[in-house]
């Protein structure tokens, strides 16, 4: 059985690795000239780690990433609203996105990887299964679901980067009026960070000025990073199906969400393993993935309402008070409740030692 994966981002490569582990012949077609990822961080949540373990790449992920067990939520002035000296089982592995992408890339033989290979229609492809992992602006989604609404602006813009450091910091999220920020320290002293604010799309804004009076080291991180990436944040309105005929949508092509729970790429990793587990039963893939990813999508939207979008001083004071008085595990439950996930035991995947 042959699968063609369209798109060589984290989702597409993870799908290729997973399908190969269940015996599929796989080809990955990527439109740009070289496989790669942008310079920013990703937090590999425990649910994503389960998927990576199943793919058999967890040792590499642990070698390149840094497990983070302490951290919390701060107000823009620096006060800790929730402080977790040790979050126990809820370890997040902090990684550079290029490292995660590179681990998946190295798990595939170069003979299955094709660059400069844009795919515009699924009916051009000779395969038993087509995986549309071509991102938020998916061409294949537009072909299969021409009436589906286009991605919509989520009302905020984000800047991301990797500051050279060295820094020794806990992992943290900072919530301020109309904005938020995150710090994800890598083990080698570099720090992945993001700052985001409510703004019209394509607004001409300077993040250094916008976050100048937020707590240290945020202003310094933003101003000392040589390559800052700007993304207006879009989300894909919920789709009625993730599959059509022999095509399965995966990752952002299926469920691009706001980044406030840090679960977008993690969901793509779950999708990939599930697609392999259902062994071509795409109705089952749809039944397993749509409810889960759409719940996370809604959870992320909600996290935005209680985070970046909150501006009224009274609402902010109430939210911050609630954070401070609730037991920490309850206070961050909205952020962590999707981080448990079990690999579906749909198909007998006897050849994979990670599952037995
Ligand atoms: C500001 C921000 C912060 C984020 N932070 C996190 C985080 O901390 N944790 C997390 O889990 N997620 C995070 N995400 C989400 C995460 O980045 C995405 O969910 C994830 O990268 C999606 O991967 P993908 O492979 O589905 O799509 P993409 O990464 O978009 O990959 C799609 C690939 O397909 C290729 N392609 C496109 N069209 C075609 C075509 N027609 N033919 C062939 N190839 C094609 C593209 O070149 C690209 O390589 C964040 C997103 C944003 C915007």
């Amino acid at each position: 059985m042959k699968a063609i994966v369209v798109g060589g981002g984290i989702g597409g490569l993870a799908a290729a690795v997973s399908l190969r582990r269940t015996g599929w012949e796989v080809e990955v077609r990527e439109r740009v000239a070289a496989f790669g990822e942008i310079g920013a961080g990703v937090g590999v949540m425990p649910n994503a780690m389960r998927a990576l373990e199943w793919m058999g790449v967890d040792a590499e992920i642990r070698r390149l990433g840094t497990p983070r067990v302490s951290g919390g939520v701060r107000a823009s002035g620096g006060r800790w609203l929730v402080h977790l000296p040790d979050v126990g089982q809820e370890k997040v592995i902090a990684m550079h996105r290029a490292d995660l992408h590179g681990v998946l890339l190295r798990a595939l033989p170069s003979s299955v990887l094709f660059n400069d290979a844009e795919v515009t229609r699924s009916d051009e492809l000779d395969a038993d299964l087509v995986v549309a992992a071509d991102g938020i602006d998916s061409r294949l989604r537009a072909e299969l679901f021409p009436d589906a609404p286009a991605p919509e602006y989520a009302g905020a813009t984000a800047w991301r980067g990797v500051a050279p450091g060295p820094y020794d910091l806990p992992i943290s999220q900072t919530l301020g009026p109309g904005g938020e920020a995150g710090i994800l320290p890598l083990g080698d002293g570099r720090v992945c960070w993001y700052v985001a604010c409510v703004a019209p799309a394509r607004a001409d804004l300077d993040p250094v000025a916008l976050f100048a009076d937020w707590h240290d080291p945020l202003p310094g991180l933003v101003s000392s990073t040589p390559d800052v990436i700007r993304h207006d944040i879009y989300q894909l309105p919920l789709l009625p199906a993730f599959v059509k005929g022999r095509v399965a949508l995966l990752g952002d092509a299926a469920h691009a969400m706001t980044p406030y729970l840090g679960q977008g790429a993690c969901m793509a990793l779950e999708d990939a393993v599930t697609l392999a587990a259902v062994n071509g039963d795409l109705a089952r893939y749809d039944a397993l993935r749509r409810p889960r990813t759409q719940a996370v999508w809604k959870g992320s939207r909600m996290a935005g309402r209680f985070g970046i979008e909150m501006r009224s001083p009274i609402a902010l004071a109430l939210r911050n008070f609630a954070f401070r008085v609730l037991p920490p595990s309850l206070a961050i439950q909205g952020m962590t409740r999707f981080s448990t996930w079990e690999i579906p035991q749909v198909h007998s995947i006897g050849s994979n030692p990670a599952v037995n």
Side-chain angles (χ1 to χ4, degrees), residues 26-102:
V26 173
E27 217 175 81
V28 182
R29 299 206 187 165
E30 166 57 51
R31 77 176 159 193
V32 303
F35 284 89
E37 257 294 341
I38 57 163
V42 61
V44 178
M45 302 290 189
N47 53 311
M49 202 57 203
R50 298 290 318 267
L52 291 160
E53 278 163 7
W54 188 87
M55 288 177 220
V57 297
D58 49 308
E60 268 292 273
I61 297 289
R62 290 202 174 84
R63 188 176 70 76
L64 292 166
T66 311
R68 289 286 157 188
V69 291
S70 75
V73 182
R74 304 176 78 170
S76 52
R79 180 176 186 176
W80 286 97
L81 302 174
V82 182
H83 193 229
L84 299 151
D86 183 346
V87 284
Q89 295 297 312
E90 293 294 317
K91 281 196 190 72
V92 179
I93 310 263
M95 291 191 83
H96 197 291
R97 288 173 72 93
D99 287 339
L100 172 56
H101 188 266

Side-chain angles (χ1 to χ4, degrees), residues 6-258:
V6 180
I10 289 168
L13 294 187
V17 172
S18 301
L19 288 166
R20 273 173 53 82
R21 283 188 79 96
T22 49
W24 288 78
E25 183 194 333
V26 173
E27 217 175 81
V28 182
R29 299 206 187 165
E30 166 57 51
R31 77 176 159 193
V32 303
F35 284 89
E37 257 294 341
I38 57 163
V42 61
V44 178
M45 302 290 189
N47 53 311
M49 202 57 203
R50 298 290 318 267
L52 291 160
E53 278 163 7
W54 188 87
M55 288 177 220
V57 297
D58 49 308
E60 268 292 273
I61 297 289
R62 290 202 174 84
R63 188 176 70 76
L64 292 166
T66 311
R68 289 286 157 188
V69 291
S70 75
V73 182
R74 304 176 78 170
S76 52
R79 180 176 186 176
W80 286 97
L81 302 174
V82 182
H83 193 229
L84 299 151
D86 183 346
V87 284
Q89 295 297 312
E90 293 294 317
K91 281 196 190 72
V92 179
I93 310 263
M95 291 191 83
H96 197 291
R97 288 173 72 93
D99 287 339
L100 172 56
H101 188 266
V103 168
L104 296 169
L105 199 58
R106 286 193 295 280
L108 292 165
S110 56
S111 56
V112 309
L113 302 167
F114 297 87
N115 288 113
D116 280 327
E118 181 167 24
V119 175
T120 52
R121 294 195 61 81
S122 64
D123 52 18
E124 294 164 359
L125 303 172
D126 181 17
D128 303 289
L129 168 66
V130 174
V131 183
D134 48 348
I136 186 168
D137 296 314
S138 170
R139 293 283 295 267
L140 296 193
R141 185 184 66 238
E143 175 204 345
L144 298 172
F145 300 101
D147 299 328
E152 62 192 13
Y153 186 54
T157 193
W159 295 265
R160 294 186 281 174
V162 184
Y167 290 93
D168 180 18
L169 300 167
I171 185 170
S172 65
Q173 183 186 33
T174 302
L175 301 176
E180 73 169 61
I183 289 176
L184 193 65
L186 301 177
D188 59 7
R190 291 178 301 159
V191 174
C192 299
W193 58 266
Y194 76 89
V195 292
C197 70
V198 173
R202 296 179 297 280
D204 183 15
L205 297 166
D206 174 11
V208 175
L210 276 172
F211 291 87
D213 61 353
W214 285 44
H215 68 78
D216 282 329
L218 283 167
L221 292 177
V222 180
S223 60
S224 69
T225 299
D227 301 309
V228 176
I229 304 154
R230 160 96 180 261
H231 269 110
D232 281 345
I233 296 173
Y234 282 79
Q235 62 184 3
L236 182 67
L238 302 182
L239 293 178
F242 284 0
V243 299
K244 193 159 190 184
R246 62 189 178 136
V247 185
L249 302 178
L250 181 146
D252 277 10
H255 46 64
M257 59 186 71
T258 54

